[in-house]
Amino acid sequence: MPKIKITGGNGKLPREEILSFRKFRSDFYRNDALYVATEEFVTDMLLNKTSAFAKSLDVRTISATEDGRRIGQCLYIVAPDTGFAQISHFDCPPERKDIADAMIRAVKSTAKECGLKKIVAGLCGHLSYGVGILTETDLKNSFDTNYNKMYTAEFFKDFKITRTLSAYRCRLDDARSRLSAATYDVGDLFVREADFSKFKDECETLRKLCDATIGNTYLYAKTAEGHFYELLKELKLLLSEKNLLFLMHGNKEVGFVFWHPDFNCAVRAGRPLTKAAFALGCIFNKGKIDTAKLNAIGVLKGYRGKGTIALLRALEERTRKYKFIETNFVWDNNIESTLVNRRLLGGECRKFSVYEEYL
């Protein structure tokens, strides 16, 4: 029988455990042609608690060892005021369902001890850090997109609740022609680019708009001041002001779109990646980046429709050098967003699932 060990809690994890967790992930995904290790930047943030948000979390590692060798692991995460435990970074060999079951039992037991009523598999702290266990794709992971071995979902098939998500992708020429067919008059709305001389303030405006426009999205938790600044500050050198666009009505921000190049196009898959190597790859291989990633879009109620069109037109003007556009996740039961994505972008390129169990 494998030995299950739970390490951590509200304080910082021991350095030795952090190194062991990271090494196992590095070895587990080595030579995987679909995996670009930019996801480990989130892993490091969670393990080392390098942001105010991460410091607010109860983060524990759950590891399975056999004959002194680690053969499976995951993260147990509880965010404040959510009332459920999250399972993320779930890595286990496909033939060892016994290990997967043991780790899931450990999560359930720990959650019960903490007085929690539910566990959610596929969330990484907050929706802004990715959501979903990947179930279907033939593309390497894009920047800001979760990745796992495709068989991982099988370990959660007995969970009572399954919710599905999709990402959409198409050639930008096709999206452009569909968008040009939309005849909305945007009226007195206009779009401005962010002012990076006030980067922290603009990130705070983004945060407030996210909470106000997509805050009702399932599993989205309200954010604290500074959340998006901490998320984006290390990426600032690779962004420009055109990557963050605000929809304006007079002098009031009533919507936003955040997009960025798919930086994963510039770095190799299947190998470890430091932040310095990532930055250098993006600088020297930027010509390889052929995809624009639509990370998030939101419009206040009362401005939707024509406001969304105004933002998408502004996005189109700023992404003409790219060949493809890809969205972040969209919940499949969000009929309005799903119809918009299918109309403008066609079919799905990635499928994800979130699994839930009441205790």
Side-chain angles (χ1 to χ4, degrees):
M1 288 291 292
K3 180 181 178 182
I4 302 297
K5 181 180 179 182
I6 302 171
T7 307
N10 289 313
K12 290 191 72 172
L13 287 159
R15 177 169 174 74
E16 181 181 354
E17 175 60 17
I18 292 173
L19 293 175
S20 296
F21 194 94
R22 293 183 68 218
K23 183 179 185 306
F24 182 84
R25 291 228 355 136
S26 179
D27 292 342
F28 196 76
Y29 290 103
R30 192 179 300 276
N31 298 322
D32 187 331
L34 298 185
Y35 182 69
V36 180
T38 51
E39 187 174 341
E40 299 315 308
F41 302 155
V42 173
T43 310
D44 289 345
M45 180 273 296
L46 293 171
L47 293 173
N48 291 292
K49 295 197 170 184
T50 53
S51 69
F53 171 71
K55 288 182 175 69
S56 74
L57 303 174
D58 176 352
V59 179
R60 312 182 192 199
T61 62
I62 295 178
S63 58
T65 56
E66 200 170 61
D67 299 324
R69 182 173 62 92
R70 185 176 297 220
I71 48 179
Q73 65 180 23
C74 68
L75 286 183
Y76 167 100
I77 302 171
V78 180
D81 304 319
T82 56
F84 59 84
Q86 306 171 27
I87 305 176
S88 73
H89 298 70
F90 196 95
D91 297 322
C92 180
E95 70 279 4
R96 296 304 303 266
K97 187 176 183 300
D98 59 324
I99 292 173
D101 288 345
M103 291 195 298
I104 291 170
R105 285 196 299 271
V107 170
K108 291 180 177 180
S109 176
T110 304
K112 286 181 179 179
E113 290 173 4
C114 295
L116 302 175
K117 305 293 186 182
K118 185 173 74 169
I119 58 175
V120 175
L123 192 57
C124 303
H126 191 276
L127 285 191
S128 57
Y129 290 99
V131 63
I133 291 175
L134 183 66
T135 59
E136 184 180 331
T137 193
D138 57 2
L139 301 170
K140 74 177 184 179
N141 64 309
S142 58
F143 191 78
D144 282 344
T145 300
N146 284 0
Y147 181 78
N148 50 261
K149 300 291 188 180
M150 225 69 67
Y151 60 78
T152 305
E154 287 296 309
F155 296 137
F156 299 97
K157 65 182 181 181
D158 293 331
F159 277 43
K160 299 296 189 300
I161 301 171
T162 301
R163 304 180 192 271
T164 59
L165 314 86
S166 302
Y168 296 79
R169 177 185 177 91
C170 75
R171 294 188 66 87
L172 256 169
D173 286 347
D174 295 336
R176 188 172 295 115
S177 63
R178 296 183 187 118
L179 181 61
S180 66
T183 57
Y184 274 87
D185 177 5
V186 301
D188 57 353
L189 299 177
F190 66 97
V191 174
R192 73 168 179 89
E193 296 183 354
D195 180 354
F196 275 14
S197 69
K198 304 174 182 177
F199 185 72
K200 193 169 186 177
D201 291 338
E202 296 287 58
C203 287
E204 189 60 16
T205 300
L206 170 63
R207 183 189 73 83
K208 291 177 180 178
L209 282 170
C210 275
D211 280 5
T213 60
I214 60 179
N216 291 328
T217 300
Y218 186 63
L219 294 182
Y220 186 96
K222 293 294 184 181
T223 56
E225 183 176 348
H227 180 92
F228 281 96
Y229 174 69
E230 290 195 322
L231 180 64
L232 297 176
K233 63 181 179 181
E234 292 187 352
L235 202 59
K236 181 184 176 185
L237 290 176
L238 298 176
L239 298 174
S240 69
E241 293 175 325
K242 67 182 179 183
N243 293 122
L244 178 56
L245 306 174
F246 291 109
L247 179 69
M248 305 295 296
H249 185 224
N251 60 359
K252 176 186 176 184
E253 291 87 0
V254 296
F256 75 95
V257 63
F258 174 56
W259 72 277
H260 52 73
D262 181 5
F263 300 115
N264 283 10
C265 297
V267 291
R268 289 175 58 184
R271 59 186 296 181
L273 186 67
T274 65
K275 289 183 179 179
F278 166 68
L280 290 173
C282 291
I283 292 169
F284 290 108
N285 297 321
K286 62 181 179 180
K288 295 182 179 181
I289 302 176
D290 63 0
T291 302
K293 181 78 179 288
L294 174 51
N295 186 290
I297 184 170
V299 179
L300 291 175
K301 189 175 181 181
Y303 297 94
R304 293 169 188 165
K306 64 181 182 179
T308 302
I309 292 297
L311 284 169
L312 290 175
R313 286 176 179 168
L315 173 66
E316 183 274 327
E317 291 173 0
R318 291 161 175 81
T319 55
R320 289 178 181 173
K321 73 175 184 178
Y322 299 99
K323 292 182 180 178
F324 302 96
I325 185 166
E326 181 176 325
T327 71
N328 217 334
F329 69 87
V330 177
W331 290 102
D332 290 340
N333 64 357
N334 185 334
I335 303 302
E336 182 180 357
S337 293
T338 296
L339 289 175
V340 169
N341 278 280
R342 286 180 176 165
R343 180 181 177 187
L344 291 176
L345 300 175
E348 300 93 336
C349 64
R350 306 176 201 274
K351 300 290 290 182
F352 305 87
S353 290
V354 168
Y355 302 91
E356 303 174 32
E357 188 90 306
Y358 283 90
L359 302 175

